Amino acid sequence: MRRFGFFAALMSLLLISVPAFAEPVVIKFSHVVAVDTPKGQAAEYFKKLVEERSKGEIKVEVYPNSSLYDDRAALEAITMNAVQMAAPSFSKFTTFVPQLELFDLPFLFNDNDHLHKVLNGEVGQKLLGMVGKKGMVGLAYWDNGFKQVSANKPLIKPEDAAGLKFRIMSSKVLEAQFKALNANPQVLPFSEVYSALQQKVVDACENPLSNFYTKKFYEVQSDLTMTNHGYLGYMVVTSKIFWKKLNDQQRALLTQAMKESTEYANKLAVELDLKYLADIKAAGTTKVHDLTLEQRQAWKNKLMPIYPEFYDSLGKDLIEGALAAGK
Ligand code: LMR
């Protein structure tokens, strides 16, 4: 009995003295898109860099295709440290930092250079700071690309969209955008878009080409118009609770891996946009329409007048700062 007691005490002492770092730090990274998208690939790349460099001390588990959370639930989970990383599109931050809807404003950016000036400049830094007050840490911005509109009829003039039910992400700006077209915006999680289109719950949507192709929207939309009217990008966030628990070395390793994954994501966003345009055309089920400069100007004329509606909620300075960066 006595010997057994001594043995048990020795065992528990040994267990207690096993160093804390023997258990790997686990990062659950939740996202909603397919693996073969810029976000999906960049998340895998981040995993690879982190696991190699930490020599197993940090493990990254990537959950694509809304398999763990849809975007809005993911953000709540981040604030509670139930999931450690996510990269939702800006529109999904609406209940936390509505100012991120700035990026939903139609025709705000001339091109990627303009966009990156804003993201990497004062406006982008200010927005990262705002997220920091909401139980998260903003780590990076990842591109997907510019959005195109699709439906089961050609959308060439802005008037062609009138009366159609458009799936939107939860964003007041996107709601106003489709109302300006006399269309009916309906908020739906990304995971439900395909079936909503198939069952004609909605008629139309807006997506960057990688999402359109990898979620097979070409099976349920006969026409796609290259409007390039709005940007779709992501803020990669981590849980503040999680971030604070890490040591300086771990934070430095993750920060560097994120920097490299961001370069990777943004390069892929450009490459995959071209690849998926070719793939959509090759699928042969969706007609792709290009717009002339005049036709595109007509969409601008219809949509840009919504800006003043958002001077109060987004901040006139934020909108003007973003526009000024393109001059
Ligand atoms: C959407 O809901 O359409 C996008 O936010 C999906 C994504 O993450 O690209």
Side-chain angles (χ1 to χ4, degrees):
M1 252 338 253
R2 258 209 195 154
R3 267 178 71 181
F4 179 74
F6 173 75
F7 186 67
L10 188 69
M11 281 309 285
S12 55
L13 205 74
L14 279 174
L15 280 176
I16 289 166
S17 60
V18 168
F21 53 78
E23 279 293 306
V25 172
V26 177
I27 298 178
K28 289 192 173 127
F29 191 140
S30 167
H31 71 82
V32 300
V33 292
V35 177
D36 288 334
T37 54
K39 176 161 61 180
Q41 287 295 299
E44 295 298 334
Y45 188 69
F46 177 74
K47 170 185 168 70
K48 179 175 167 290
L49 294 184
V50 170
E51 291 186 350
E52 273 172 15
R53 291 176 187 175
S54 73
K55 303 194 170 47
E57 191 189 313
I58 309 177
K59 254 188 92 195
V60 183
E61 296 171 357
V62 183
Y63 296 89
N65 292 310
S66 313
S67 55
L68 195 57
Y69 290 103
D70 78 23
D71 270 333
R72 199 194 309 226
L75 282 176
E76 272 151 33
I78 285 268
T79 62
M80 295 182 291
N81 196 24
V83 64
Q84 289 67 42
M85 276 196 176
S89 57
F90 297 133
S91 327
K92 312 270 169 85
F93 285 84
T94 186
T95 52
F96 295 92
V97 179
Q99 288 87 343
L100 276 168
E101 287 184 18
L102 171 78
F103 294 93
D104 293 335
L105 283 171
F107 299 104
L108 184 65
F109 303 110
N110 306 330
D111 50 29
N112 266 340
D113 283 349
H114 179 188
L115 164 76
H116 289 147
K117 258 196 215 159
V118 175
L119 286 175
N120 300 327
E122 207 182 308
V123 172
Q125 287 312 307
K126 203 165 163 177
L127 290 166
L128 284 176
M130 288 182 186
V131 169
K133 295 194 182 109
K134 301 286 174 178
M136 305 176 221
V137 180
L139 296 176
Y141 292 112
W142 285 358
D143 286 346
N144 189 339
F146 286 86
K147 291 178 289 184
Q148 322 299 347
V149 288
S150 65
N152 284 314
K153 65 180 244 194
L155 302 175
I156 309 300
K157 302 189 295 294
E159 291 74 24
D160 296 332
L164 295 182
K165 278 183 258 160
F166 270 86
R167 177 269 168 167
I168 58 164
M169 298 179 274
S170 53
S171 152
K172 293 273 175 288
V173 170
L174 297 179
E175 197 179 310
Q177 169 182 281
F178 285 108
K179 284 196 171 151
L181 295 172
N182 296 316
N184 303 315
Q186 312 234 338
V187 176
L188 280 178
F190 187 61
S191 55
E192 291 173 24
V193 181
Y194 182 92
S195 62
L197 289 168
Q198 190 182 39
Q199 290 159 25
K200 312 254 185 286
V201 174
V202 291
D203 310 300
C205 52
E206 54 165 10
N207 289 284
L209 297 173
S210 65
N211 284 353
F212 188 88
Y213 185 78
T214 55
K215 288 294 171 189
K216 297 190 163 57
F217 296 161
Y218 57 84
E219 292 177 351
V220 285
Q221 296 276 264
S222 64
D223 293 82
L224 176 78
T225 306
M226 301 294 288
T227 43
N228 285 298
H229 63 281
Y231 169 70
L232 192 130
Y234 310 111
M235 191 193 277
V236 190
V237 286
T238 185
S239 160
K240 203 169 224 173
I241 303 171
F242 167 74
W243 196 245
K244 277 190 180 159
K245 276 196 207 156
L246 300 173
N247 62 40
D248 286 349
Q249 228 175 349
Q250 291 167 328
R251 273 194 292 266
L253 187 151
L254 292 173
T255 304
Q256 179 58 28
M258 183 52 64
K259 189 166 168 262
E260 290 168 47
S261 305
T262 300
E263 282 158 20
Y264 185 77
N266 294 353
K267 190 164 161 278
L268 261 188
V270 175
E271 288 169 11
L272 289 182
D273 207 49
L274 289 172
K275 169 184 159 30
Y276 286 131
L277 178 59
D279 290 348
I280 291 164
K281 289 180 177 169
T285 46
T286 303
K287 246 198 203 126
V288 178
H289 307 279
D290 288 313
L291 295 179
T292 63
L293 281 180
E294 292 74 29
Q295 285 167 335
R296 191 161 183 267
Q297 188 60 44
W299 287 80
K300 279 189 176 182
N301 294 346
K302 198 78 180 178
L303 296 180
M304 289 182 75
I306 70 168
Y307 285 22
E309 264 182 65
F310 296 96
Y311 283 168
D312 285 344
S313 57
L314 299 184
K316 196 167 182 225
D317 56 331
L318 218 58
I319 299 178
E320 284 178 348
L323 283 170
K327 288 185 182 142

